Amino acid sequence: MSVLWSENCLKCGADGKFQSYRQIVRTIRLRHTARDAMIAFSISLAAFFLAETLLQMVISVLAGIVLVAGYLLLARHYASAVENRLLHQLLATEHQAIRDGMLLDLEDAASDLKADDFKTAYEKLREIGYLITGNQVKVLKLMCLSHFIVRSDMDLELSTLIPSGFEPDFIRYLHEVSKVSPQLVGRDALDYVMRHRQAIEAFPGGPETLALTASAALRVKGYVLQYPGLIADYLDALPRDRLLRLCKLLQGSRDRVPELYDKAQEQVKLKYDFDPEFQGLL
């Protein structure tokens, strides 16, 4: 059992084309459908041979055709639901084989990591991470990502990388992602930052990382209302466009976040008192 794309079995070394679980359950479903259709038509044939008149023979044949056709239409309509049920049954019965296969996949990715083939290792770990979401896989992926130059045109992830504890590699990665793809910074990442804020502040470049995540939080008003302390503490680091965004989000919310509201008002008076775009916002 493997989730990787290799044509060779990692356990025995056999060379051959692997079938995905979806292909397997589709084959099983088609076999079950064919079997049930044959059973239904066999009943019709039995009725045909037991018929005493020509009319009964015709009725039995027509009934069989209608029954099989109706069954095939229903089978086609509910194919996805049936395949999902069969997949769950297959995964339940093959649990140990899947676990053993995934561990071999993990060892294979770790070997690439040790060989400094970080790109291949990360691609394998990302596939494994769809099924194994534990901290070990996240830490290994972060080790790979620490060797990449993060760009906005990359297929980046963040929520799936949040570790269970404080991880320096994650903080460095969060720093880069907050700069190039701030839309990836969601509530789970902000919660992580709040849990480990003290450690992040003491980390090299930590205050800048916190300022970047505070700026990223300004995408959604709900984040502003949920994390006002973080945003207020790094208000000075916000560029003009982000401060303007914050002022717009704070309109009508003074009673809910009074400290942040007052600090934003002071910041506007200090830096943009005569800027027409800020006039009347707070």
Side-chain angles (χ1 to χ4, degrees):
M1 301 291 181
S2 175
V3 298
L4 302 180
W5 50 86
S6 174
E7 295 293 334
N8 298 316
C9 177
L10 296 176
K11 185 174 183 179
C12 66
D15 185 12
K17 183 71 175 176
F18 286 101
Q19 276 193 309
S20 70
Y21 280 114
R22 283 294 177 186
Q23 290 174 318
I24 293 172
V25 297
R26 186 171 294 112
T27 300
I28 295 172
R29 177 184 63 81
L30 291 174
R31 287 177 180 173
H32 287 180
T33 301
R35 179 200 63 194
D36 295 341
M38 289 295 295
I39 291 173
F41 197 69
S42 297
I43 295 173
S44 173
L45 287 177
F48 174 82
F49 288 114
L50 294 174
E52 297 179 353
T53 66
L54 179 61
L55 179 61
Q56 289 177 347
M57 290 180 181
V58 172
I59 291 174
S60 61
V61 172
L62 291 177
I65 294 173
V66 171
L67 181 62
V68 171
Y71 172 74
L72 292 176
L73 287 174
L74 286 173
R76 182 178 179 180
H77 180 74
Y78 292 103
S80 179
V82 172
E83 287 183 8
N84 286 335
R85 179 174 58 82
L86 289 171
L87 179 60
H88 290 154
Q89 292 175 351
L90 181 63
L91 293 177
T93 56
E94 299 292 336
H95 176 76
Q96 187 60 43
I98 293 170
R99 181 180 179 277
D100 293 342
M102 296 290 283
L103 289 175
L104 286 174
D105 288 343
L106 198 56
E107 290 177 6
D108 185 47
S111 297
D112 291 325
L113 185 60
K114 291 177 182 177
D116 293 340
D117 188 355
F118 303 111
K119 183 177 182 296
T120 302
Y122 175 70
E123 289 172 350
K124 290 180 179 180
L125 289 166
R126 192 159 187 173
E127 289 295 323
I128 295 168
Y130 289 123
L131 291 179
I132 298 180
T133 58
N135 199 62
Q136 181 184 9
V137 175
K138 295 177 181 179
V139 171
L140 290 175
K141 284 200 286 186
L142 288 167
M143 289 174 63
C144 294
L145 288 166
S146 66
H147 294 84
F148 298 164
I149 297 175
V150 178
R151 305 188 313 273
S152 59
D153 60 343
M154 296 171 64
D155 182 18
L156 300 173
E157 57 178 324
L158 185 61
S159 294
T160 51
L161 290 171
I162 298 175
S164 57
F166 180 80
E167 288 288 342
D169 282 339
F170 179 74
I171 303 305
R172 284 188 282 264
Y173 180 71
L174 175 63
H175 182 101
E176 297 304 318
V177 169
S178 297
K179 286 194 296 185
V180 301
S181 296
Q183 70 276 7
L184 294 179
V185 180
R187 182 171 281 106
D188 45 7
L190 291 167
D191 286 340
Y192 177 90
V193 166
M194 295 304 294
R195 284 196 305 271
H196 302 284
R197 180 173 172 177
Q198 186 174 358
I200 296 173
E201 286 175 338
F203 191 73
E208 185 183 353
T209 302
L210 291 171
L212 288 169
T213 55
S215 177
L218 302 182
R219 293 183 307 105
V220 181
K221 184 171 182 177
Y223 296 167
V224 174
L225 299 178
Q226 187 173 353
Y227 309 99
L230 176 66
I231 298 170
D233 289 345
Y234 291 92
L235 207 59
D236 293 346
L238 293 180
R240 179 188 177 280
D241 65 309
R242 304 312 292 161
L243 181 60
L244 181 62
R245 167 72 176 167
L246 174 61
C247 292
K248 292 178 179 178
L249 293 175
L250 287 175
Q251 286 184 303
S253 301
R254 184 168 195 166
D255 293 340
R256 301 182 67 178
V257 284
E259 183 181 352
L260 176 59
Y261 190 99
D262 291 342
K263 282 193 173 184
Q265 199 172 50
E266 292 174 7
Q267 192 73 5
V268 169
K269 288 182 179 179
L270 181 64
K271 292 185 175 180
Y272 307 103
D273 194 29
F274 299 102
D275 191 320
E277 286 196 74
F278 285 88
Q279 300 303 311
L281 291 179
L282 298 178

